[in-house]
Amino acid sequence: MTVLLMALLGGAGAATRFVVDGWFRGRWSTRLPFATIVINTTGSLLLGFLGGALATGAVGPSVLVVAGTGFCGGYTTFSTAMVETVRLAQAGAYRRAVLNAFGSLVVTVAAAALGVALADVLLGR
Amino acid sequence: MSGRPHHTDPRLVAVVAAGGVVGTLARYGLNQVLPHPAGGLPVSTLTENLVGAFLLGVLLESLVRAGAEDRRRRVIRLGVGTGVLGGFTTWSSLAFEVQQLGAGGDVRLAAAYGVGSVVAGFVTCSLGVLLAASLRRPHGTEDDR
């Protein structure tokens, strides 16, 4: 049951990514693939919060599997971020390629840490 | 076919969701068989992300070289690319694992895992693009021998 729910939420996460990505692209034309950065940052924030919630005992491991492995995993993407980085490099925009890859890493790890801290403050005893 | 944005077409959203279910199940399955030691290198996430980045490079470059996107190619790109491979790889686990390794005191492993993932992901994705480009080289050019 947990695995089924996880798989379905993984599908919902991927669909959410598709819609958010299309929505962003229809509104802003940016020099960095900003839609993917926003998706990966918000997904990392949510997974950090879930991981932090597990650490406080507020939720059980199955919640982390369903919402974390399922939704956050399906919502965020490494492969698209890498293709976008390769495309920037192919276009000769090396600085933006480096900024996209490492900037994404720094921002998403900070978002995950923020999520853990938020769960600790809101749910910790 | 209308000019409606793809992400507002419920059938294409469903194609992405179905692919996401498959990709998420494959990732979960690999998580069960690959090592993921507490405090150690998250081999499972690293493997999934590198394999997925390589395959998406192959897929998208092949589709670009196959010509203008028709309905069938669009369903493949969105179902297999955005859905399966997007769902198979994950950035949130990478970010959370880097944070956990760092918070656990192993800042060197955290940095090596994070930076190594991005650098290796770029390399494997580039290799995928190059492989697809070499297989799909147009015939009759001076590059043919």
Side-chain angles (χ1 to χ4, degrees):
Chain A
M1 190 62 191
T2 301
V3 174
L4 179 68
L5 272 177
M6 176 214 65
L8 289 176
L9 275 184
T16 304
R17 166 163 44 83
F18 179 49
V19 172
V20 170
D21 183 76
W23 188 84
F24 256 86
R25 280 169 202 276
R27 271 156 192 78
W28 294 289
S29 173
T30 54
R31 291 163 65 79
L32 284 174
F34 210 60
T36 303
I37 295 173
V38 168
I39 287 163
N40 284 341
T41 302
T42 50
S44 297
L45 177 72
L46 179 57
L47 185 61
F49 185 82
L50 291 166
L54 178 72
T56 66
V59 300
S62 60
V63 172
L64 193 65
V65 170
V66 169
T69 309
F71 185 82
C72 294
Y75 174 61
T76 63
T77 176
F78 182 83
S79 48
T80 298
M82 286 302 112
V83 168
E84 287 168 345
T85 305
V86 169
R87 294 306 189 206
L88 283 173
Q90 282 182 312
Y94 301 113
R95 282 180 57 184
R96 270 186 281 151
V98 170
L99 180 66
N100 184 53
F102 293 103
S104 292
L105 184 64
V106 170
V107 170
T108 55
V109 171
L114 177 64
V116 172
L118 274 177
D120 197 46
V121 168
L122 296 175
L123 306 170
R125 280 164 268 252
Chain B
M1 205 182 300
S2 72
R4 149 188 231 178
H6 300 159
H7 70 282
T8 63
D9 183 339
R11 286 166 303 178
L12 292 178
V13 173
V15 164
V16 172
V21 169
V22 174
T24 301
L25 276 175
R27 177 161 42 81
Y28 176 79
L30 265 180
N31 284 349
Q32 305 308 303
V33 295
L34 288 176
H36 195 150
L41 183 69
V43 176
S44 46
T45 305
L46 183 61
T47 305
E48 290 145 13
N49 280 345
L50 298 186
V51 169
F54 174 79
L55 292 178
L56 191 64
V58 171
L59 176 75
L60 294 186
E61 185 68 16
S62 300
L63 287 172
V64 164
R65 285 171 181 269
E69 183 168 79
D70 55 15
R71 178 88 192 173
R72 187 183 67 90
R73 287 185 192 133
R74 178 168 303 146
V75 167
I76 292 173
R77 175 172 64 82
L78 295 178
V80 180
T82 308
V84 177
L85 295 175
F88 180 62
T89 63
T90 172
W91 195 293
S92 49
S93 294
L94 165 62
F96 182 62
E97 287 156 356
V98 169
Q99 186 276 333
Q100 289 289 295
L101 287 172
D106 204 339
V107 176
R108 281 179 62 182
L109 181 60
Y113 171 53
V115 172
S117 290
V118 167
V119 171
F122 181 84
V123 170
T124 56
C125 185
S126 300
L127 290 175
V129 169
L130 289 173
L131 176 67
S134 70
L135 294 176
R136 281 285 194 162
R137 182 180 295 158
H139 294 291
T141 68
E142 64 270 26
D143 287 337
D144 283 341
R145 318 220 192 272

